[in-house]
Amino acid sequence: MGLEEKLPSGILLTNLERLVNYARSTSLWPATFGLACCAIEMMATGGPRHDIARFGMEVFRASPRQADLMIVAGRVSNKMAPVLRRIYDQMSDPKWVLSMGVCATSGGMFNNYALVQGVDHVVPVDMYVPGCPPRPEMLLDGLIKLHAKIQGESFADQAASA
Amino acid sequence: MTLQAWLTAAGGAVALVLLGWLALTRTVLGRGLAVPLRAMFVKPETASYPEAPRPTAPRFHGRHQLNRYADGLEKCIGCELCAWACPADAIFVQGGDNTEEQRFSPGERYAEDYQINYNRCILCGLCIEACPTRALTMTQEYEIAADSREGLIWTKDMLLVDPPEDGYDTPHTDREVRDRGLNYYGGLAVTPPTRKGGSFAPATAAPLQRAGAVVPRRELPLVPPGTGDAEGEPDGDGGSAGAGDA
């Protein structure tokens, strides 16, 4: 039918979207954004027992320019919200946000004046991981689901949203 | 080889091993290098999570579950004590009245709607402690991440367990429930209001069980829903084979 039949064996064809999404999802570098106790579990995820390096994510970047994923680990206070937004703005496209723990997701049990009731008031969130704090497996589960989500993304949608 | 040559070789080997041991234990560089050497013989600590997850602790607080009695009636009576106990206001319960034709739980009321908001739930288990009928318990499931806030609100149909193999899905009619003659509260309370006028009928025929325990499956007199007549006398006979034919 197409080009595939004219090629010799040993040559694999894919489309650019899938190739790029594969590359993006398998080396998703997180920015460190540990805000509270969830950060302890995030560090445990980076440790040898859970070993986030198996997913190509062991390099937690201190610089937002080099990061693709912001793991908001912990409660976001009203004072921290502009800082968080600024760091998000400094990250280069394409970028994703994972809200780790119920405090980041919705304020959790801290329904008071000091905390932002959900980090999606400040930045667009791609994956919500519940738990207080989520155990490392829960974070890994969220990351795996995020990888699957990235692998299904299309350039057209990204261009439309950007 | 002569004896002298043997001795020289042995002495050289001993000296080499001694020197190596000294280098690996007494020098800064050697002690550093000894760490990866030792690590080559240590079993890896890494848990390969998605493929072979390690079991959680037996009392791990995972997501919730709404339980049923052995005949399929729901344990939840819609009392909202879980919602009151919740420190994060994550539970919403809408109670409803059981009627003679639509019975969901023993007792007067049942949970018409039951939602747990995992955006807020901190999995502390205070709701489990508050629940008077052990209707709400926690599982060891924790893979509940979602890509929207709506996806983290679990409704009653997601939380309620499937009916047991000998039971039926709710709602039941009062007649079926009465014919089974189970005592749902372990003899501490009464069976559902099965008579008109709101009077309660004690479960005389039911075997005594500890509070909260369900009646073993074998002893369930089977009355399929819809065919529930008074023909099968709830006399609690042990004829489980005959009951199974019904």
Side-chain angles (χ1 to χ4, degrees):
Chain A
M1 285 292 283
L3 185 62
E4 291 91 341
E5 293 187 356
K6 304 214 163 38
L7 285 173
S9 65
I11 291 182
L12 186 73
L13 284 184
T14 179
N15 60 31
L16 189 63
E17 226 166 45
R18 279 170 66 182
L19 183 72
V20 168
N21 284 339
Y22 176 76
R24 281 175 178 170
S25 65
T26 47
S27 78
L28 200 64
W29 288 7
T32 48
F33 216 90
L35 293 171
C37 31
C38 279
I40 305 296
E41 297 293 311
M42 187 171 72
M43 285 183 262
T45 315
R49 187 182 168 107
H50 299 287
D51 200 10
I52 205 173
R54 293 178 294 139
F55 305 98
M57 300 181 63
E58 73 277 24
V59 272
F60 279 85
R61 291 283 111 169
S63 154
R65 305 273 183 211
Q66 298 164 348
D68 309 304
L69 168 70
M70 186 156 74
I71 301 179
V72 184
R75 74 286 178 283
V76 184
S77 62
N78 279 327
K79 203 160 185 177
M80 192 48 129
V83 182
L84 187 138
R85 177 71 209 193
R86 181 167 192 163
I87 289 188
Y88 176 78
D89 287 339
Q90 285 172 343
M91 285 164 65
S92 52
D93 272 330
K95 52 193 172 185
W96 294 271
V97 178
L98 185 141
S99 161
M100 179 180 182
V102 292
C103 296
T105 302
S106 72
M109 63 180 295
F110 303 114
N111 191 357
N112 59 31
Y113 64 89
L115 292 193
V116 177
Q117 297 296 306
V119 74
D120 55 356
H121 291 293
V122 187
V123 291
V125 177
D126 294 283
M127 187 58 65
Y128 297 90
V129 178
C132 185
R135 60 192 276 129
E137 282 99 335
M138 287 170 93
L139 176 61
L140 288 178
D141 170 55
L143 291 174
I144 291 166
K145 284 177 179 163
L146 182 63
H147 289 173
K149 191 181 172 187
I150 291 172
Q151 287 187 354
E153 280 182 352
S154 76
F155 290 166
D157 293 346
Q158 284 173 8
S161 67
Chain B
M1 279 176 27
T2 62
L3 183 64
Q4 194 179 1
W6 274 111
L7 283 178
T8 318
V14 167
L16 211 63
V17 167
L18 197 68
L19 266 178
W21 181 78
L22 277 176
L24 285 178
T25 55
R26 290 288 181 270
T27 65
V28 174
L29 182 66
R31 284 167 75 177
L33 285 174
V35 172
L37 282 179
R38 265 202 314 275
M40 287 168 69
F41 302 99
V42 175
K43 197 164 164 267
E45 171 68 13
T46 308
S48 51
Y49 159 64
E51 297 88 17
R54 290 191 184 171
T56 60
R59 292 188 181 182
F60 175 71
H61 286 189
R63 74 159 179 87
H64 299 78
Q65 161 179 306
L66 282 172
N67 298 308
R68 293 178 189 259
Y69 288 102
D71 59 350
L73 272 188
E74 296 161 17
K75 285 189 176 182
C76 179
I77 52 172
C79 67
E80 299 185 29
L81 280 178
C82 47
W84 281 91
C86 183
D89 277 347
I91 303 182
F92 169 76
V93 185
Q94 173 72 51
D97 285 333
N98 284 314
T99 61
E100 276 187 37
E101 295 308 311
Q102 300 259 310
R103 169 161 295 283
F104 291 84
S105 72
E108 289 176 41
R109 284 162 73 73
Y110 72 103
E112 202 169 41
D113 193 4
Y114 196 103
Q115 294 176 9
I116 295 184
N117 182 355
Y118 284 106
N119 289 305
R120 289 219 180 253
C121 173
I122 56 172
L123 305 172
C124 61
L126 287 181
C127 45
I128 312 302
E129 288 183 33
C131 184
T133 61
R134 293 291 281 163
L136 192 67
T137 51
M138 283 172 138
T139 64
Q140 294 178 350
E141 254 179 66
Y142 49 79
E143 294 168 331
I144 49 177
D147 64 352
S148 69
R149 282 171 85 144
E150 293 79 22
L152 281 177
I153 297 175
W154 284 51
T155 48
K156 189 182 172 187
D157 53 323
M158 301 153 87
L159 292 165
L160 193 63
V161 292
D162 294 334
E165 46 188 275
D166 290 350
Y168 311 102
D169 202 359
T170 45
H172 302 182
T173 62
D174 268 5
R175 182 173 279 271
E176 294 162 9
V177 175
R178 189 192 326 156
D179 288 347
R180 284 182 210 126
L182 297 184
N183 66 347
Y184 293 98
Y185 299 110
L188 296 178
V190 290
T191 42
T194 53
R195 288 178 188 154
K196 276 189 178 169
S199 65
F200 290 79
T204 47
L208 263 176
Q209 298 285 330
R210 286 180 57 224
V214 295
V215 176
R217 295 244 170 91
R218 290 285 133 238
E219 302 177 32
L220 263 184
L222 280 184
V223 182
T227 65
D229 316 309
E231 50 166 339
E233 273 290 309
D235 52 8
D237 60 335
S240 59
D245 293 341

